[in-house]
Every structure is written in C-alpha cells, then in structure tokens.
Amino acid sequence: MLKSASTLLVKLSVGKKRLCKCIQENPQELSKWVIGTRVAPLPDSEDEIESRRLKMKFLLDLGYGENPVMMKKALKIFRGRGEDFLERFDSIVNAGFDKKDVSEMIKLSPHILNLSRDTIQAKIDILVNELGYPLRSLITFPGYLGYTTQRVRLRLAMYKWLQDQGKARPNLSLSTILSGTEKKFFSRY
C-alpha cells in the first residue's frame, strides 16, 4: 500500500508537478514509496537550482545581501520562481516608477512580489484610474497592493460617503483609510 500523496509531497520535498513527472519517467519508483519504508527527499532539479540562483541574484541586487538575517527572512517571504520576481519587479517599474523607488517599496512590503504580474497591474490601474489616487501614493504605502480590490473599493466608497456627510477629514492618506481593522474603522467614523 502506497503512502498518501500529501505525505509523499512532504517527504520527497517536491511539488505536485515534479512528483507526477518523476512517476511518469520512472513508474518503478512507486515501489519505494510504500507504507513502512523510509523516503528520502529527491535531489533538486536543474530548474530548482537555477530558480534559487535567480532568486538569490535578485535579492542581492535589491540590497538584501548586506545583512544575512534580512536575506534569510527575505527567502522565506518571497514565494515563487526566481525568474518571476524580476518580471513582477519590472511590471511595477513599467507602471511609471524608478527602479530605486520600487526597491524601497519592496523593502517596505516584500509580500507584494508574491502577487502575479497581472494582479499588480490591475491593482495599480484601479488605484490610479478608478480611485483617482496619484501613482506616487504607492511609494509611501506599497502595502496597498496586498489588499483585496473589494476591501479597497468598499473602504474608499465608505470614506467618500463619510466625507460627503462631514464626518471624515478630507485628504486622508491611503494607509490611514485601508490599514486599520473593520472594528477600528467603524469606531473611528
């Protein structure tokens, strides 16, 4: 009887695609993965080694190499393949930012690089074209990209309504409107 798929994924230290590929290439491997046998992790593939190299290079270029503790934290925070990070970084730069500004934004909110390129572009488009905020507001509050578009739209609609009622000060920063909890937002306004 075979070990469960979830157990194999953990013990072999692989993802679903790699496990499927391994089984397709060598179906006899299944006999080594029965209940009661010890399973050793598979060695890293060439793609994984290259991805890790690109990720390290990207982080070094951002300035994480100066501090090994920060590098270790960054490696845990940044999920995905190495080549994806540069693509995501470039999508923010192509929106109209300087590379230096984007590097600082990522240091403030590293999780934004875990978003897909399309999601980043869509959220920037919503901020500028739909909500009317200047693009520069992302420099001071890059965490905006981490919020769902539904939360952003609802909070800003409520804020606009509160402004019209004279209950909220005009020109509050984006971070003030979005970052608090629902309870805090309702108690304040």
Side-chain angles (χ1 to χ4, degrees):
M1 184 158 195
L2 281 176
K3 294 180 185 272
S4 70
S6 58
T7 301
L8 286 174
L9 292 173
V10 171
K11 297 289 184 184
L12 295 172
S13 295
V14 296
K16 292 176 186 177
K17 287 182 183 177
R18 180 136 184 249
L19 180 61
C20 289
K21 185 178 176 184
C22 184
I23 292 170
Q24 288 172 346
E25 289 174 355
N26 189 0
Q28 290 76 25
E29 283 290 308
L30 287 170
S31 64
K32 297 177 183 176
W33 300 336
V34 295
I35 294 177
T37 60
R38 185 177 291 274
V39 178
L42 293 177
D44 289 341
S45 69
E46 302 267 331
D47 291 342
E48 290 168 331
I49 293 169
E50 179 63 12
S51 176
R52 194 174 306 118
R53 187 189 67 75
L54 289 171
K55 188 186 282 191
M56 290 294 286
K57 182 184 180 311
F58 178 76
L59 292 173
L60 289 171
D61 290 346
L62 282 179
Y64 279 97
E66 298 140 11
N67 185 342
V69 174
M70 291 249 323
M71 177 66 93
K72 191 173 183 179
K73 283 183 182 179
L75 285 170
K76 288 181 182 178
I77 291 171
F78 293 123
R79 295 185 310 264
R81 303 191 50 75
E83 56 269 11
D84 295 340
F85 293 121
L86 188 57
E87 180 182 280
R88 295 167 187 168
F89 181 87
D90 288 342
S91 72
I92 299 172
V93 170
N94 292 338
F97 292 103
D98 182 61
K99 286 185 177 194
K100 183 181 173 203
D101 289 337
V102 177
S103 294
E104 291 303 315
M105 289 166 58
I106 291 168
K107 286 180 183 175
L108 284 173
S109 296
H111 65 277
I112 65 176
L113 280 187
N114 293 333
L115 301 169
S116 71
R117 181 179 50 95
D118 295 336
T119 302
I120 291 169
Q121 290 171 344
K123 287 184 177 188
I124 291 173
D125 184 59
I126 289 169
L127 178 73
V128 174
N129 297 326
E130 189 178 314
L131 302 174
Y133 276 83
L135 192 59
R136 308 262 332 137
S137 60
L138 271 179
I139 293 173
T140 56
F141 186 56
Y144 156 81
L145 294 172
Y147 291 101
T148 63
T149 54
Q150 179 185 9
R151 178 186 175 117
V152 170
R153 285 180 175 133
L154 289 174
R155 280 284 177 97
L156 289 171
M158 178 61 102
Y159 172 67
K160 184 171 175 22
W161 181 81
L162 287 168
Q163 268 187 302
D164 294 344
Q165 301 299 313
K167 303 289 182 188
R169 291 189 329 231
N171 302 325
L172 285 179
S173 70
L174 195 58
S175 63
T176 303
I177 298 167
L178 293 177
S179 62
T181 63
E182 293 291 323
K183 186 176 181 180
K184 188 175 179 181
F185 184 81
F186 284 123
S187 69
R188 180 179 287 166
Y189 300 108

